[in-house]
């Protein structure tokens, strides 16, 4: 295991297996929750791939870091790729898809192929009201829900993540992480990847409904991007567990 000031890194599989697969998890998740318990690590290593998985600040076993912006996370991930051979196939889910997109857009030489799971062309965390969330969570006068439905969904994801990750500081750390993400607005068109890009999403995932726009940007920039692979009956919460996602990703990376 290695790490940086912002992220934690774990490796799996044979170190001599060639170009690694870099995994970037989503908000309120972790290496264990996003990639191990869903069968991704086993699937990739059994396919003969070396895996490098990163864990974001305040997620899983990673310490909560202070003053950073998404660009800092992207540069930290770029340093991980450089330390593990200089190029990687990248799979990102949800927020991890955003970071993977920005990594490939800003450092094209580091990413051989890119897989976006549950990817959105907008940042659902951008307009999250952390002050309102604290009022909702106030034990002295709790509210039933946040006014904005998407923000309430994200807050519930953070509360579920707190239970999954078992962090005593889970909710406060999650709110601090959101504040870090909000320091930089997401603009996918500012640095478009030209690396071959695959997008996968559940047909019930409203957050990922804009994946087609991301792929159009790749094509307009001269890159290759097949149509979105749609997973029937899957939502943003459970698309990552789908066997069809794993199969599509490994075939594309091969």
């Amino acid at each position: 295991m290695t790490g940086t000031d912002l992220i934690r890194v774990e490796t799996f599989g044979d170190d001599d297996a060639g170009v690694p697969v870099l995994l970037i998890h989503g908000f309120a998740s972790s290496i264990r929750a996003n990639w191990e318990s869903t069968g991704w690590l086993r699937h990739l290593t059994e396919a003969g791939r070396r895996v490098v998985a990163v864990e974001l600040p305040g997620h899983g076993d990673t310490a909560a870091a202070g003053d950073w912006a998404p660009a800092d996370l992207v540069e930290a991930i770029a340093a991980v790729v450089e330390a593990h051979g200089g190029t990687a196939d990248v799979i990102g889910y949800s927020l991890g898809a955003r970071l993977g997109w920005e990594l490939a857009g800003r450092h094209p030489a580091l990413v051989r192929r890119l897989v976006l799971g549950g990817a959105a062309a907008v940042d659902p965390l951008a307009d999250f009201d952390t002050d309102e969330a604290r009022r909702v969570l106030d034990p002295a006068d709790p509210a039933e829900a946040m006014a904005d439905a998407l923000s309430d969904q994200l807050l519930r994801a953070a509360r579920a993540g707190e239970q999954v990750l078992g962090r005593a500081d889970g909710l406060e750390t999650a709110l601090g992480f959101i504040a870090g993400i909000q320091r930089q607005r997401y603009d996918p068109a500012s640095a478009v990847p030209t690396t071959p890009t695959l997008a996968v999403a559940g047909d019930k995932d409203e957050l990922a409904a804009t994946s087609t726009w991301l792929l159009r940007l790749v094509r307009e920039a001269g890159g290759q991007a097949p149509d979105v692979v749609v997973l029937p009956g899957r939502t943003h919460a459970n698309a990552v567990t789908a066997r069809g996602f794993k199969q599509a990703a490994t075939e594309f990376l091969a």
Side-chain angles (χ1 to χ4, degrees):
M1 184 181 74
T2 62
T4 72
D5 290 340
L6 285 178
I7 59 177
R8 194 176 71 88
V9 182
E10 284 193 62
T11 60
F12 306 87
D14 185 354
D15 288 342
D16 298 322
V19 174
V21 178
L22 178 79
L23 301 179
I24 314 173
H25 66 75
F27 172 65
S29 190
S30 66
I31 294 172
R32 299 284 173 245
N34 212 144
W35 306 118
E36 183 176 45
S37 66
T38 57
W40 275 95
L41 294 180
R42 183 179 69 253
H43 179 82
L44 290 169
T45 54
E46 288 181 352
R49 297 304 302 264
R50 176 165 60 111
V51 174
V52 179
V54 299
E55 202 154 64
L56 303 176
H59 289 69
D61 296 326
T62 308
D67 189 13
W68 55 267
D72 299 312
L73 298 182
V74 172
E75 294 310 308
I77 295 169
V80 170
V81 176
E82 290 170 346
H84 289 83
T87 188
D89 291 330
V90 177
I91 304 176
Y93 193 76
S94 192
L95 173 63
R98 168 199 170 158
L99 297 174
W101 174 275
E102 292 180 313
L103 174 69
R106 296 175 189 173
H107 300 281
L110 298 183
V111 182
R112 186 175 72 169
R113 291 199 165 214
L114 175 64
V115 178
L116 308 172
V122 296
D123 179 7
L125 296 174
D127 298 318
F128 186 92
D129 189 335
T130 54
D131 291 334
E132 182 191 0
R134 288 188 172 90
R135 289 194 295 272
V136 170
L137 297 170
D138 185 355
D141 186 24
E144 290 186 3
M146 296 184 70
D148 176 66
L150 177 56
S151 293
D152 191 64
Q153 180 181 343
L154 291 167
L155 181 60
R156 284 187 276 112
R159 299 181 80 167
E162 179 185 39
Q163 296 175 356
V164 170
L165 303 177
R167 293 181 71 114
D169 62 349
L171 281 174
E172 192 58 38
T173 297
L175 296 180
F177 182 85
I178 292 172
I181 292 294
Q182 290 176 339
R183 292 189 179 104
Q184 178 189 338
R185 299 289 292 195
Y186 181 35
D187 179 12
S190 66
V192 179
T194 55
T195 188
T197 301
L198 176 73
V200 183
D203 66 352
K204 299 183 183 303
D205 184 354
E206 296 179 0
L207 285 175
T210 52
S211 291
T212 53
W213 186 74
L214 294 174
L215 297 183
R216 187 167 74 245
L217 287 178
V218 173
R219 296 184 195 112
E220 290 173 351
Q224 301 175 12
D227 291 338
V228 177
V229 175
V230 178
L231 304 171
R234 295 286 178 157
T235 67
H236 193 75
N238 64 20
V240 71
T241 68
R243 180 179 299 177
F245 186 0
K246 300 179 183 72
Q247 292 174 337
T250 50
E251 289 173 5
F252 180 74
L253 297 183

